[in-house]
Amino acid sequence: MPLLEFLNGANEGKRLDLVGERIVFGRNDGCQVVLNVPAVSREHAAIRKIGASYYIEDMNSRNGTEVNKAKIKARTALKDGNEITICGISMLFYEGLPKAKLPEHLKRTADMEEEDKDNATIEATFQSSTNEQPLEAQPSERLAMLLQIGVELTQTIKTDDLFPKIVDSLFQVFRQADRVFIIIKEDDKLLAKVVRTRRPDDDDKSRFSRKIVNRCMVTGQAILSLDASSDSQFDMSQSIADCKIRSMVVAPLLSRNDGTAGGVIQLDTQDRFKKFTQDDLRLLMAVAAQAGVALENARMHESLVARAELERDLELAKRVQKSFLPKLLPQAPGYEFFAHYESAQEVGGDYYDFIPLSKYRVGIMIGDVAGKGVPAALLMAKVSAETRFCTLTEANLTDAVAKLNDNIQEAGQLDRFVTFGACVLDVAQHNVTVVNAGHLPPIIYREASKKFEDGCSYDQTELPLGIVEGIAYQANTFTLAPGDFVTLITDGAPDSQSRDDKDFGMNGVYAALNGGPMNAKDMGTRLVEAVHRHATGRKPHDDLTVVTFGRQK
């Protein structure tokens, strides 16, 4: 594999494998090789792989780029042994590993002796595919560890079990590491999911530098620093000093979908004589590539499990809510009844009920809790129970609704209100008494005139339940002649919208009710079907309840 060897500067004696199609040199954090020298341009030069050959080109830098002591003016082919110079920093290009070079373990010893020299940070672009990592160059022990981690990660589907499996293996291979952090971003917060030290008693005392972690996550690049405490690019961060970080290596956990970093793996040492190398950086990048995919898979699995549990809970809630609704229609000589209920979501906030009050009197109730979903369904359950209690303990319908309002108001911390319509049908007197709390008025069909009219006026309509206490509700009473019918609806009918955002409206309600035989079942069924046709192709945005009752001819 082609490589560069630094002849001088902060990285003197270091080697850099040329991985990828394009390697950029410069001061910019986004460069594959960062040279922290003021004379170097932000993006100074680039080495490109074209076919089987490598070329270098200057990127319009201020001070130029030299090959074999001569400034280049165009893309220049590199040959084995060429010397590249960028603002006084010289590197040798080799097409493969040069012969007669100092062994790696001796080179590391020499690096330790040069501790007082300026330290630099080398950043490498993180590749999401481990295929581009030079695994063959890794010692057999490291390769075995990488394979072991890969197998374990593919068998782990819980995030809490995922990372502890990695840490012990990392300590075995990175023997210079004093600490390992696996840090995840959740709800815009950085959380240390795993903190492990060589001495377990120090685990609770170890902290990580947010400056380093944020830098790695924002750039999406792995970081190798020979001594972070004196590294100029970290501006002597107080958090780095507090954490006593010396040499470190950090790799991001990247998403395979959008390339964003969901966390990092950080290894560091607090010993000035321990150093991480380019080999360490590449190995950690390979581990992080696998860990990032495993993290994404584990989160997806947990999301699916949570969704399945939620769906089971909502299905149970749906069955419980339906248990509050009447199972049978009332049976009264000479009268017909129809009822239909459906929620826009798994559970809803609409309500209706038939409450036997005496031999000849039946309460017919309808309500609509503001909002939808679980909060509305919970309040609907309370309304159902309270309505039965109030109507069975109060002889007068206005008193019953006033008491119901006060009871709902006591639970008013819910920040919701209920529109409510209460009717009492007397099948002996053939009359209906109505009390309206902010609900749509009952729709009366008169057989004699073939017309519709409201069951109460605007002046007879008071505030919905649960807004203020002590409301004195008014009642209106009307008589039903043979063939007269009453329809109660929630606003899910007139507010139903078509695919082109047109409301069904009250005109649609009247047209549906009047479009065929005038009896409870046919009128109610026509209205429900008409609303469904109007909303075809569009998901319902509100609950729908229809109740129809009346006197047979």
Side-chain angles (χ1 to χ4, degrees):
M1 173 177 291
L3 58 86
L4 291 177
E5 182 176 61
F6 289 83
L7 299 180
N8 57 11
N11 296 312
E12 181 177 351
K14 299 294 183 181
R15 296 175 185 172
L16 174 65
D17 291 334
L18 299 180
V19 180
E21 303 293 326
R22 184 172 181 264
I23 299 93
V24 178
F25 297 73
R27 284 190 298 111
N28 197 325
D29 292 341
C31 295
Q32 281 77 2
V33 180
V34 178
L35 302 176
N36 285 318
V37 175
V40 175
S41 298
R42 293 185 179 276
E43 291 188 347
H44 196 105
I47 292 179
R48 293 179 180 271
K49 181 183 179 183
I50 302 176
S53 301
Y54 285 80
Y55 298 81
I56 187 168
E57 59 187 15
D58 187 83
M59 300 176 69
N60 297 317
S61 65
R62 296 189 307 272
N63 298 309
T65 302
E66 298 178 0
V67 174
N68 296 333
K69 307 300 183 182
K71 281 192 176 182
I72 61 174
K73 297 182 179 180
R75 182 179 294 170
T76 302
L78 289 173
K79 298 179 180 180
D80 192 61
N82 281 171
E83 180 179 340
I84 301 170
T85 304
I86 297 176
C87 299
I89 300 174
S90 296
M91 299 154 273
L92 288 178
F93 171 80
Y94 291 106
E95 295 177 349
L97 185 67
K99 298 179 180 180
K101 289 295 176 181
L102 193 64
E104 187 67 23
H105 71 280
L106 294 179
K107 185 183 295 182
R108 294 179 185 175
T109 302
D111 291 339
M112 294 177 186
E113 295 174 352
E114 296 297 322
E115 175 65 27
D116 293 333
K117 291 186 176 181
D118 291 338
N119 290 280
T121 294
I122 301 173
E123 300 193 27
T125 299
F126 184 87
Q127 302 293 336
S128 61
S129 170
T130 58
N131 293 333
E132 297 185 13
Q133 304 302 330
L135 300 181
E136 296 79 7
Q138 304 298 331
S140 60
E141 181 183 9
R142 296 188 169 204
L143 180 58
M145 182 274 290
L146 187 59
L147 294 175
Q148 177 187 352
I149 287 178
V151 171
E152 290 181 344
L153 293 184
T154 58
Q155 298 174 347
T156 305
I157 57 175
K158 292 184 178 180
T159 53
D160 289 341
D161 299 335
L162 185 63
F163 297 121
K165 292 187 174 184
I166 302 175
V167 174
D168 291 337
S169 298
L170 291 177
F171 266 133
Q172 292 174 14
V173 174
F174 294 95
R175 294 187 172 90
Q176 70 272 55
D178 291 326
R179 303 183 298 185
V180 176
F181 297 89
I182 298 183
I183 301 158
I184 303 299
K185 190 172 186 179
E186 294 181 354
D187 299 326
D188 293 327
K189 294 181 180 179
L190 294 177
L191 302 178
K193 304 295 284 188
V194 179
V195 179
R196 193 73 58 82
T197 65
R198 288 286 180 187
R199 295 181 296 179
D201 293 342
D202 292 340
D203 285 355
D204 295 337
K205 303 175 185 177
S206 294
R207 295 182 298 160
F208 62 90
S209 168
R210 296 181 181 277
K211 185 179 185 69
I212 293 174
V213 173
N214 282 323
R215 180 189 181 92
C216 182
M217 292 186 65
V218 170
T219 63
Q221 294 180 328
I223 299 175
L224 168 65
S225 181
L226 303 181
D227 190 345
S229 64
S230 60
D231 199 323
S232 60
Q233 76 167 320
F234 296 123
D235 300 324
M236 295 300 290
S237 169
Q238 187 62 43
S239 66
I240 296 175
D242 291 343
C243 296
K244 300 178 181 179
I245 299 173
R246 286 287 186 167
S247 184
M248 68 172 183
V249 60
V250 190
L253 303 172
L254 296 181
S255 167
R256 57 187 168 183
N257 292 326
D258 56 14
T260 59
V264 304
I265 301 177
Q266 175 180 320
L267 285 73
D268 64 44
T269 176
Q270 297 173 313
D271 188 334
R272 65 191 297 267
F273 294 108
K274 296 178 181 179
K275 302 289 185 183
F276 291 100
T277 67
Q278 280 279 359
D279 287 345
D280 297 326
L281 177 67
R282 287 192 292 271
L283 178 61
L284 188 63
M285 288 166 62
V287 172
Q290 297 182 80
V293 173
L295 173 62
E296 202 166 26
N297 290 339
R299 283 178 167 172
M300 185 180 301
H301 172 77
E302 291 176 351
S303 176
L304 292 174
V305 170
R307 177 62 185 174
E309 291 177 351
L310 177 61
E311 288 177 352
R312 285 196 297 270
D313 290 344
L314 289 174
E315 180 60 31
L316 176 59
K318 185 176 183 178
R319 293 200 299 268
V320 170
Q321 185 177 46
K322 284 190 174 181
S323 71
F324 289 116
L325 302 175
K327 294 180 176 59
L328 298 173
L329 296 173
Q331 298 297 316
Y335 280 83
E336 299 177 2
F337 297 86
F338 169 87
H340 175 86
Y341 169 88
E342 63 183 81
S343 57
Q345 301 178 9
E346 287 82 354
V347 291
D350 276 10
Y351 153 82
Y352 79 92
D353 202 359
F354 300 114
I355 305 174
L357 300 176
S358 66
K359 182 178 180 180
Y360 299 107
R361 297 169 66 245
V362 58
I364 303 169
M365 313 295 172
I366 191 167
D368 185 357
V369 178
K372 296 179 287 296
V374 174
L378 291 173
L379 186 52
M380 175 270 199
K382 180 175 178 62
V383 170
S384 176
E386 293 286 355
T387 299
R388 281 189 169 258
F389 171 75
C390 294
T391 52
L392 291 172
T393 56
E394 296 290 337
N396 190 291
L397 185 58
T398 54
D399 293 339
V401 176
K403 185 174 184 178
L404 174 61
N405 173 63
D406 291 344
N407 289 352
I408 298 299
Q409 174 62 25
E410 289 178 3
Q413 317 309 335
L414 298 173
D415 269 345
R416 292 179 183 270
F417 61 86
V418 184
T419 66
F420 188 78
C423 299
V424 173
L425 169 64
D426 189 326
V427 297
Q429 300 295 324
H430 302 300
N431 61 36
V432 178
T433 300
V434 177
V435 174
N436 194 5
H439 200 76
L440 293 170
I443 302 170
I444 307 172
Y445 169 75
R446 295 297 189 184
E447 173 65 17
S449 64
K450 310 293 185 184
K451 294 183 178 180
F452 294 97
E453 62 184 55
D454 289 341
C456 62
S457 67
Y458 176 82
D459 293 338
Q460 293 168 327
T461 300
E462 298 293 344
L463 291 175
L465 306 178
I467 295 181
V468 294
E469 291 182 283
I471 297 178
Y473 288 94
Q474 301 181 55
N476 180 50
T477 301
F478 54 86
T479 301
L480 291 180
D484 290 352
F485 285 88
V486 179
T487 300
L488 308 175
I489 61 173
T490 57
D491 59 9
D495 292 350
S496 174
Q497 291 188 327
S498 64
R499 295 182 65 177
D500 53 358
D501 297 330
K502 291 183 179 179
D503 288 342
F504 188 64
M506 288 305 299
N507 288 335
V509 172
Y510 294 134
L513 292 174
N514 200 31
M518 306 305 285
N519 58 70
K521 182 177 180 180
D522 287 336
M523 293 172 70
T525 301
R526 282 199 303 272
L527 177 54
V528 171
E529 292 177 348
V531 171
H532 288 168
R533 285 195 302 272
H534 181 77
T536 297
R538 181 167 184 159
K539 185 178 178 180
H541 73 283
D542 202 356
D543 307 326
L544 173 64
T545 301
V546 176
V547 175
T548 303
F549 64 94
R551 190 175 174 186
Q552 296 172 340
K553 295 181 183 179

